């Protein structure tokens, strides 16, 4: 397996904020518990590994995010649908084969959102996807949607096959990620009247049943991340991981945040995929391999031609 070496200077930042000062005043179910302690992925002193490089996706547009169904061993990549206005909320979900990472299927979504982050949830041998839905005038979803992935179909946001959820009643935007190893749904939301995002963590089974009354944590997005060009997030155990950066630059940054304090634990500018053309950071996800190894994934879009962009995914696999 190829390696891509991280080559930039590490910046660590502390200053966590106590939960008593976070998560209150945004409706029922504000922070009432804590996420159990866990190890975190080391971002700076270990190599990044290639999962794959330069894989074609169904519509050739820039990948926005991706998610693994680690039970059924499937990978899904979300993109804006080719030919649709970026504010329409129209998406394409491309499924990649587990070992070759080549595209083997797709599904179109109409009127959903921007897919800054998505989640994949195994239900028997089926996969249910979580995305944002009911796009606002900027193309970002107001609520969350949960639906069964069905290859070769087109699903409208108004379809009865879509279950819609509003985890935070006062929020005007929602996205989510799934920690499949610890069965948690992580929600990034924008409170009404605010320009600052927040995060809340829920038990995945409860969330699936529409129960969002208990938030394990609820905290404001750290200001340094909020100020960066946000490109995705995921979570593993106690820690939230974020990705930021621009295309055609070398500012792709990995962040870890202690969800029990809301403080940045580690910030690292990564050189993974440094030789890629275009190289826009896009999307994060986690899974634990069949052999029991947890992995933190982060992605990049590549390719020199609009609507012929390619998908690239790298990962870290050392816990400290």
């Amino acid at each position: 397996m190829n390696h891509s070496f991280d080559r930039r200077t590490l910046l660590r930042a502390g200053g966590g904020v106590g939960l008593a000062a976070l998560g209150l005043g945004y409706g029922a179910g504000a922070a009432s518990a804590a996420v159990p302690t866990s190890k975190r992925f080391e971002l700076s002193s270990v190599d990044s590994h290639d999962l794959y490089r330069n894989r074609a996706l169904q519509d050739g547009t820039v990948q926005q995010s991706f998610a693994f169904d680690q039970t059924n061993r499937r990978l899904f990549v979300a993109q804006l649908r080719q030919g649709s206005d970026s504010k329409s909320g129209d998406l394409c979900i491309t499924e990649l084969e587990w070992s070759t990472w080549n595209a083997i299927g797709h599904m179109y979504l109409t009127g959903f959102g921007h897919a800054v982050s998505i989640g994949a949830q195994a239900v028997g041998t089926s996969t249910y996807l979580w995305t944002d839905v009911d796009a606002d005038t900027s193309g970002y979803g107001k609520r969350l949607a949960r639906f069964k992935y069905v290859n070769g179909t087109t699903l409208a946001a108004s379809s009865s096959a879509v279950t819609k959820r509003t985890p935070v009643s006062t929020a005007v935007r929602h996205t989510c990620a799934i920690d499949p190893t610890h069965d948690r749904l992580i929600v990034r939301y924008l409170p009404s009247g605010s320009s600052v995002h927040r995060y809340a963590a829920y038990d995945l089974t409860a969330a699936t049943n529409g129960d969002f009354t208990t938030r394990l944590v609820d905290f404001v997005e750290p200001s340094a991340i909020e100020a960066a060009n946000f490109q995705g997030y995921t979570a593993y155990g106690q820690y939230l991981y974020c990705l930021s950066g621009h295309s055609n630059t070398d500012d792709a940054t990995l962040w870890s945040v202690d969800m029990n304090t809301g403080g940045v634990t580690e910030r690292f500018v990564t050189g993974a995929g440094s030789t890629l053309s275009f190289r826009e950071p896009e999307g994060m996800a986690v899974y634990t391999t069949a052999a029991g190894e947890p992995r933190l994934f982060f992605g990049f879009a590549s390719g020199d031609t609009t609507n012929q962009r390619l998908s690239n995914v790298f990962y870290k696999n050392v816990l400290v």
Side-chain angles (χ1 to χ4, degrees), residues 1-2 49-53 55 66 68 75 98-101 287 295 297 312-315:
M1 181 171 289
N2 293 331
H49 305 274
D50 290 27
L51 183 67
Y52 63 78
R53 296 194 186 209
R55 293 302 194 272
F66 57 94
F68 295 93
L75 171 59
W98 191 258
S99 59
T100 65
W101 310 112
Y287 80 71
R295 294 179 177 179
F297 295 86
N312 307 264
V313 173
F314 303 86
Y315 66 92

Side-chain angles (χ1 to χ4, degrees), residues 18-33 168 170 189 191 198-199 215 217-220:
L19 287 176
L22 296 172
L24 303 180
Y26 288 102
S32 59
V168 182
T170 55
Y189 68 94
R198 300 181 69 90
Y199 294 89
R215 303 182 202 176
V217 289
D218 189 310
F219 60 96
V220 68

Side-chain angles (χ1 to χ4, degrees), residues 37 47 50 52 68 70 79 88 125 128 165 242 272 295 314:
T37 58
D47 297 340
D50 290 27
Y52 63 78
F68 295 93
Q70 73 174 28
Q79 319 152 243
S88 66
T125 59
Y128 280 73
R165 303 298 191 197
C242 299
R295 294 179 177 179
F314 303 86

Side-chain angles (χ1 to χ4, degrees), residues 104-116:
I104 58 172
H106 71 280
M107 185 176 186
Y108 287 124
L109 308 177
T110 303
F112 276 67
H114 194 76
V116 171

Side-chain angles (χ1 to χ4, degrees), residues 254-269:
L254 301 169
W255 308 74
S256 62
V257 177
D258 184 340
M259 291 196 290
N260 285 328
T261 68
V264 174
T265 305
E266 189 175 3
R267 171 185 174 183
F268 183 66
V269 179

Side-chain angles (χ1 to χ4, degrees), residues 183-219:
D183 292 320
R184 295 191 190 109
L185 183 76
I186 313 302
V187 176
R188 183 177 187 250
Y189 68 94
L190 185 65
S192 178
S194 175
S195 60
V196 179
H197 287 85
R198 300 181 69 90
Y199 294 89
Y202 303 89
D203 174 79
L204 180 58
T205 299
T208 299
N209 293 329
D211 180 1
F212 294 95
T213 56
T214 300
R215 303 182 202 176
L216 299 175
V217 289
D218 189 310
F219 60 96

Side-chain angles (χ1 to χ4, degrees), residues 59-215:
D59 272 27
T61 52
V62 169
Q63 69 179 47
Q64 299 297 318
S65 56
F66 57 94
F68 295 93
D69 174 345
Q70 73 174 28
T71 299
N72 293 305
R73 302 296 170 186
R74 297 178 181 133
L75 171 59
F76 302 92
V77 180
Q79 319 152 243
L80 299 181
R81 191 190 306 175
Q82 188 176 122
S84 293
D85 186 281
S86 62
K87 298 179 182 180
S88 66
D90 295 346
L91 301 173
C92 175
I93 306 292
T94 298
E95 181 184 1
L96 277 63
E97 194 276 332
W98 191 258
S99 59
T100 65
W101 310 112
N102 292 321
I104 58 172
H106 71 280
M107 185 176 186
Y108 287 124
L109 308 177
T110 303
F112 276 67
H114 194 76
V116 171
S117 182
I118 65 171
Q121 180 183 16
V123 180
T125 59
S126 298
T127 302
Y128 280 73
L129 299 178
W130 291 72
T131 70
D132 53 334
V133 71
D134 295 341
D136 61 19
T137 56
S138 297
Y140 293 85
K142 301 173 186 177
R143 306 175 67 190
L144 295 182
R146 180 180 179 271
F147 55 92
K148 184 178 180 179
Y149 173 80
V150 181
N151 181 34
T153 63
T154 298
L155 187 65
S158 59
S159 170
S160 60
V162 178
T163 299
K164 297 182 182 181
R165 303 298 191 197
T166 309
V168 182
S169 61
T170 55
V172 294
R173 289 180 182 174
H174 290 83
T175 57
C176 68
I178 287 176
D179 175 352
T181 304
H182 300 91
D183 292 320
R184 295 191 190 109
L185 183 76
I186 313 302
V187 176
R188 183 177 187 250
Y189 68 94
L190 185 65
S192 178
S194 175
S195 60
V196 179
H197 287 85
R198 300 181 69 90
Y199 294 89
Y202 303 89
D203 174 79
L204 180 58
T205 299
T208 299
N209 293 329
D211 180 1
F212 294 95
T213 56
T214 300
R215 303 182 202 176

